[in-house]
Amino acid sequence: FFGVSKYKYNTEYEAASEGKHSLDLVNARHDAQKLADVFREVGRLDDARVYVNEQATRRQLEMAVTDWLPSVSRPGDTVFIFFSGHGLKIKDDNGDEADGLDEALAPHDIVDPGILVQLKEKVDRGEPGNAGFDALLSVARKAGPEFDDMYAALIRESGVSDDLFGHWLQRLDGRRVVVILGSCHSGGFATIEKGEEPATRTLSF
Protein backbone atom coordinates (compact mmCIF):
# COMPACT_ATOMS: atom_id res chain seq x y z
CA PHE A 1 0.00 0.00 0.00
CA PHE A 2 1.58 3.24 -1.20
CA GLY A 3 0.33 6.75 -0.50
CA VAL A 4 2.06 10.01 -1.39
CA SER A 5 0.72 13.20 0.16
CA LYS A 6 4.08 14.96 0.58
CA TYR A 7 6.42 15.07 -2.40
CA LYS A 8 10.19 15.36 -2.01
CA TYR A 9 10.54 18.21 -4.48
CA ASN A 10 7.32 20.09 -3.83
CA THR A 11 9.24 23.26 -2.88
CA GLU A 12 11.03 23.17 -6.23
CA TYR A 13 7.80 22.40 -8.06
CA GLU A 14 6.07 25.39 -6.45
CA ALA A 15 9.02 27.64 -7.29
CA ALA A 16 8.96 26.49 -10.91
CA SER A 17 5.28 27.42 -11.15
CA GLU A 18 5.84 30.72 -9.30
CA GLY A 19 3.67 29.52 -6.45
CA LYS A 20 0.67 28.72 -8.62
CA HIS A 21 0.77 24.93 -8.23
CA SER A 22 1.68 22.34 -5.62
CA LEU A 23 2.41 18.62 -5.88
CA ASP A 24 1.36 17.82 -2.33
CA LEU A 25 -1.98 16.11 -1.75
CA VAL A 26 -4.26 15.90 1.29
CA ASN A 27 -5.50 12.34 1.64
CA ALA A 28 -3.24 10.02 -0.36
CA ARG A 29 -1.25 8.79 2.64
CA HIS A 30 -4.45 8.26 4.64
CA ASP A 31 -5.94 6.30 1.73
CA ALA A 32 -3.05 3.84 1.88
CA GLN A 33 -3.08 3.51 5.65
CA LYS A 34 -6.83 3.11 6.02
CA LEU A 35 -7.21 0.68 3.12
CA ALA A 36 -4.41 -1.44 4.54
CA ASP A 37 -6.21 -1.48 7.90
CA VAL A 38 -9.45 -2.60 6.25
CA PHE A 39 -7.71 -5.32 4.26
CA ARG A 40 -5.95 -6.59 7.37
CA GLU A 41 -9.25 -6.71 9.24
CA VAL A 42 -11.56 -8.25 6.66
CA GLY A 43 -9.31 -9.27 3.78
CA ARG A 44 -7.42 -12.06 5.54
CA LEU A 45 -4.06 -10.75 4.38
CA ASP A 46 -1.15 -12.80 5.64
CA ASP A 47 1.04 -9.70 5.57
CA ALA A 48 0.78 -6.10 4.46
CA ARG A 49 3.27 -3.28 4.19
CA VAL A 50 2.42 0.41 4.03
CA TYR A 51 4.72 3.03 2.53
CA VAL A 52 3.76 6.69 2.77
CA ASN A 53 5.41 9.94 1.74
CA GLU A 54 9.22 9.67 1.96
CA GLN A 55 8.93 5.86 2.14
CA ALA A 56 6.95 5.72 -1.11
CA THR A 57 9.86 6.16 -3.52
CA ARG A 58 10.24 4.69 -6.97
CA ARG A 59 12.89 2.31 -5.69
CA GLN A 60 10.69 1.14 -2.81
CA LEU A 61 7.77 0.51 -5.13
CA GLU A 62 10.00 -1.54 -7.40
CA MET A 63 11.42 -3.52 -4.48
CA ALA A 64 7.96 -4.23 -3.05
CA VAL A 65 6.57 -5.50 -6.36
CA THR A 66 9.59 -7.36 -7.74
CA ASP A 67 11.29 -8.63 -4.57
CA TRP A 68 9.09 -8.63 -1.47
CA LEU A 69 5.76 -9.76 -2.94
CA PRO A 70 7.32 -12.68 -4.89
CA SER A 71 9.15 -13.75 -1.71
CA VAL A 72 6.03 -13.89 0.49
CA SER A 73 3.60 -15.35 -2.06
CA ARG A 74 3.43 -18.29 -4.42
CA PRO A 75 1.52 -19.14 -7.62
CA GLY A 76 -2.19 -19.37 -6.87
CA ASP A 77 -2.10 -16.67 -4.20
CA THR A 78 -3.85 -13.33 -4.56
CA VAL A 79 -1.77 -10.22 -4.03
CA PHE A 80 -2.93 -6.63 -3.80
CA ILE A 81 -1.04 -3.50 -4.87
CA PHE A 82 -2.46 -0.08 -4.01
CA PHE A 83 -1.11 3.34 -5.02
CA SER A 84 -2.58 6.72 -4.15
CA GLY A 85 -0.86 9.81 -5.52
CA HIS A 86 -0.40 11.73 -8.74
CA GLY A 87 -0.76 10.09 -12.14
CA LEU A 88 0.71 11.55 -15.33
CA LYS A 89 0.67 11.16 -19.10
CA ILE A 90 3.85 11.08 -21.19
CA LYS A 91 4.77 10.43 -24.82
CA ASP A 92 4.51 6.77 -25.79
CA ASP A 93 7.94 5.38 -26.61
CA ASN A 94 7.12 2.06 -28.27
CA GLY A 95 3.96 2.59 -30.34
CA ASP A 96 1.62 0.50 -28.17
CA GLU A 97 -0.75 3.34 -27.24
CA ALA A 98 -3.59 4.36 -29.58
CA ASP A 99 -3.49 7.93 -28.28
CA GLY A 100 0.32 8.16 -28.41
CA LEU A 101 0.58 8.57 -24.64
CA ASP A 102 1.75 6.33 -21.81
CA GLU A 103 0.56 6.72 -18.24
CA ALA A 104 2.84 6.96 -15.22
CA LEU A 105 2.62 6.95 -11.43
CA ALA A 106 4.38 9.72 -9.50
CA PRO A 107 6.19 8.37 -6.43
CA HIS A 108 7.58 10.58 -3.67
CA ASP A 109 10.78 11.42 -5.58
CA ILE A 110 9.31 12.27 -8.99
CA VAL A 111 11.23 14.88 -11.02
CA ASP A 112 9.97 16.90 -14.00
CA PRO A 113 11.80 19.58 -16.05
CA GLY A 114 10.63 22.43 -13.81
CA ILE A 115 11.94 20.67 -10.72
CA LEU A 116 15.21 19.90 -12.51
CA VAL A 117 15.71 23.59 -13.34
CA GLN A 118 15.27 24.47 -9.67
CA LEU A 119 17.66 21.72 -8.58
CA LYS A 120 20.25 22.95 -11.07
CA GLU A 121 20.03 26.44 -9.63
CA LYS A 122 20.59 25.01 -6.14
CA VAL A 123 23.60 23.04 -7.35
CA ASP A 124 24.97 26.14 -9.07
CA ARG A 125 24.66 28.00 -5.75
CA GLY A 126 26.57 25.22 -4.02
CA GLU A 127 23.63 24.06 -1.88
CA PRO A 128 23.86 20.46 -0.57
CA GLY A 129 21.28 17.72 -0.60
CA ASN A 130 20.80 17.16 -4.32
CA ALA A 131 21.92 13.55 -4.64
CA GLY A 132 21.16 12.03 -8.01
CA PHE A 133 21.00 15.39 -9.76
CA ASP A 134 23.83 14.60 -12.20
CA ALA A 135 22.11 11.43 -13.42
CA LEU A 136 18.83 13.28 -13.97
CA LEU A 137 20.60 16.12 -15.76
CA SER A 138 22.23 13.57 -18.06
CA VAL A 139 18.82 12.03 -18.83
CA ALA A 140 17.40 15.47 -19.68
CA ARG A 141 20.31 16.39 -21.94
CA LYS A 142 20.14 13.09 -23.82
CA ALA A 143 16.41 13.61 -24.42
CA GLY A 144 17.07 16.85 -26.29
CA PRO A 145 15.51 20.33 -26.12
CA GLU A 146 11.92 19.40 -26.95
CA PHE A 147 9.92 19.75 -23.75
CA ASP A 148 7.73 16.69 -24.41
CA ASP A 149 10.78 14.48 -24.93
CA MET A 150 12.57 15.81 -21.86
CA TYR A 151 9.44 15.57 -19.73
CA ALA A 152 8.83 11.97 -20.77
CA ALA A 153 12.47 10.99 -20.19
CA LEU A 154 12.53 12.45 -16.68
CA ILE A 155 9.19 10.91 -15.73
CA ARG A 156 10.33 7.52 -17.01
CA GLU A 157 13.53 7.85 -14.98
CA SER A 158 11.94 8.98 -11.70
CA GLY A 159 8.35 7.71 -12.05
CA VAL A 160 6.72 4.41 -12.99
CA SER A 161 5.31 4.11 -16.50
CA ASP A 162 2.53 1.67 -17.29
CA ASP A 163 4.95 -0.36 -19.42
CA LEU A 164 7.52 -0.56 -16.62
CA PHE A 165 4.86 -1.45 -14.07
CA GLY A 166 3.65 -4.26 -16.35
CA HIS A 167 7.21 -5.53 -16.60
CA TRP A 168 7.52 -5.56 -12.81
CA LEU A 169 4.27 -7.51 -12.50
CA GLN A 170 5.76 -10.34 -14.54
CA ARG A 171 7.70 -11.26 -11.39
CA LEU A 172 4.33 -12.24 -9.91
CA ASP A 173 3.60 -14.82 -12.59
CA GLY A 174 0.95 -17.32 -11.49
CA ARG A 175 -0.51 -15.07 -8.80
CA ARG A 176 -3.85 -13.32 -9.03
CA VAL A 177 -2.79 -9.67 -8.95
CA VAL A 178 -5.27 -6.97 -7.96
CA VAL A 179 -4.02 -3.44 -8.66
CA ILE A 180 -5.92 -0.49 -7.19
CA LEU A 181 -4.83 2.96 -8.34
CA GLY A 182 -6.08 6.22 -6.87
CA SER A 183 -4.47 8.60 -9.36
CA CYS A 184 -5.22 10.63 -12.45
CA HIS A 185 -5.13 8.67 -15.73
CA SER A 186 -5.06 5.38 -13.81
CA GLY A 187 -7.52 3.82 -16.24
CA GLY A 188 -4.79 3.95 -18.86
CA PHE A 189 -2.90 1.28 -16.94
CA ALA A 190 -5.58 -1.19 -17.99
CA THR A 191 -7.25 0.19 -21.11
CA ILE A 192 -6.43 2.26 -24.18
CA GLU A 193 -7.37 5.85 -23.46
CA LYS A 194 -7.72 8.85 -25.75
CA GLY A 195 -5.85 12.02 -24.92
CA GLU A 196 -4.99 15.41 -26.33
CA GLU A 197 -1.68 16.28 -27.89
CA PRO A 198 0.49 18.30 -25.45
CA ALA A 199 1.79 21.70 -26.50
CA THR A 200 5.34 21.80 -27.89
CA ARG A 201 7.96 23.56 -25.80
CA THR A 202 11.75 23.55 -25.65
CA LEU A 203 14.26 23.65 -22.80
CA SER A 204 18.03 23.45 -22.65
CA PHE A 205 20.56 22.81 -19.88
Side-chain angles (χ1 to χ4, degrees):
F1 297 83
F2 285 79
V4 190
S5 289
K6 298 293 183 182
Y7 279 83
K8 182 176 182 178
Y9 298 114
N10 185 59
T11 299
E12 289 78 9
Y13 186 84
E14 288 183 339
S17 67
E18 298 180 341
K20 296 176 182 176
H21 303 287
S22 173
L23 274 177
D24 287 350
L25 299 168
V26 176
N27 292 316
R29 65 166 294 181
H30 301 298
D31 292 343
Q33 291 167 330
K34 290 181 178 180
L35 191 61
D37 288 342
V38 170
F39 274 48
R40 286 187 183 111
E41 181 179 351
V42 301
R44 297 185 301 167
L45 289 186
D46 292 328
D47 197 359
R49 292 190 179 180
V50 181
Y51 305 94
V52 297
N53 295 338
E54 67 275 2
Q55 301 166 333
T57 63
R58 182 186 190 274
R59 179 60 179 156
Q60 188 58 68
L61 181 54
E62 179 181 8
M63 292 291 290
V65 175
T66 65
D67 289 339
W68 181 68
L69 278 173
S71 75
V72 297
S73 65
R74 61 181 185 272
D77 287 346
T78 300
V79 301
F80 295 88
I81 302 168
F82 174 78
F83 177 89
S84 180
H86 284 295
L88 310 164
K89 278 187 171 285
I90 54 178
K91 285 180 65 174
D92 176 28
D93 65 345
N94 60 7
D96 68 340
E97 298 282 353
D99 62 358
L101 298 169
D102 280 323
E103 289 73 34
L105 302 177
H108 171 70
D109 47 348
I110 193 80
V111 174
D112 71 2
I115 291 171
L116 190 64
V117 168
Q118 296 299 313
L119 291 177
K120 185 176 187 302
E121 291 179 0
K122 286 188 173 185
V123 169
D124 291 344
R125 292 194 298 266
E127 296 183 19
N130 297 299
F133 168 77
D134 289 340
L136 291 169
L137 184 61
S138 177
V139 167
R141 284 174 169 162
K142 287 179 181 178
E146 291 294 331
F147 180 85
D148 293 346
D149 294 332
M150 188 184 300
Y151 179 82
L154 286 171
I155 298 303
R156 288 185 193 284
E157 183 70 16
S158 61
V160 181
S161 71
D162 50 358
D163 293 334
L164 178 62
F165 191 66
H167 179 69
W168 290 353
L169 292 181
Q170 292 176 8
R171 294 290 298 274
L172 294 167
D173 186 44
R175 285 83 166 167
R176 291 184 293 271
V177 181
V178 179
V179 179
I180 306 169
L181 302 177
S183 60
C184 288
H185 314 300
S186 56
F189 273 71
T191 60
I192 297 175
E193 298 292 329
K194 294 295 182 181
E196 296 181 0
E197 288 291 330
T200 299
R201 296 166 56 191
T202 61
L203 286 177
S204 61
F205 291 96

